[in-house]
Amino acid sequence: QVRLKESGGGLVQAGESLTLSCAATEYDFDIDVMGWYRQAPGKQRELVGDVGDGGKVLLAESVKDRFTVSRDNAAKTVTLQMNNLKPEDTAVYYCKARIALRSFWGQGTQVTVSS
């Protein structure tokens, strides 16, 4: 079992930046993929960006020019740097770790962007 602890959400104005961090704990083995999803009210959860254990990065088209995602395999952390935030980025952001065929989720952290 792996636990994911997220931090860094909050309320910002449009154009500002936020950094989300997620740490995997209580797990001593390699994690295949770590990344971030988000879910806005009334919408489905969607991928924001993730990183494979080999370093391959996948970012959603809607954020690829503004967000970066990175991970530290040794520390078992994944970071989402969000720049030039827009009101449509408002959502609950969830950290996800995939190990073999299993997925684990954090509790979510709220990001609110005011116009």
Side-chain angles (χ1 to χ4, degrees):
Q1 186 75 7
V2 58
R3 297 188 183 276
L4 301 173
K5 182 175 176 60
E6 300 137 331
S7 61
L11 171 64
V12 296
Q13 294 187 334
E16 295 184 339
S17 299
L18 271 179
T19 302
L20 304 184
S21 298
C22 173
T25 62
E26 301 183 24
Y27 189 75
D28 294 329
F29 302 98
D30 293 338
I31 298 174
D32 297 327
V33 182
M34 294 189 77
W36 293 91
Y37 284 67
R38 68 185 181 186
Q39 188 167 18
K43 294 188 176 181
Q44 289 189 333
R45 192 172 297 188
E46 63 177 4
L47 172 69
V48 179
D50 64 25
V51 188
D53 57 359
K56 181 177 180 180
V57 174
L58 179 65
L59 277 168
E61 281 295 321
S62 60
V63 305
K64 64 186 304 183
D65 295 330
R66 301 180 293 121
F67 293 8
T68 58
V69 60
S70 59
R71 67 183 281 184
D72 182 329
N73 290 339
K76 293 185 173 52
T77 59
V78 61
T79 300
L80 182 67
Q81 176 64 44
M82 304 184 290
N83 299 322
N84 189 22
L85 282 158
K86 302 177 180 181
E88 52 263 43
D89 295 317
T90 295
V92 177
Y93 284 69
Y94 297 91
C95 178
K96 176 184 174 181
R98 194 179 82 221
I99 302 168
L101 297 178
R102 298 186 66 186
S103 293
F104 301 88
W105 295 89
Q107 80 283 358
T109 184
Q110 177 70 45
V111 172
T112 303
V113 185
S114 64
S115 57

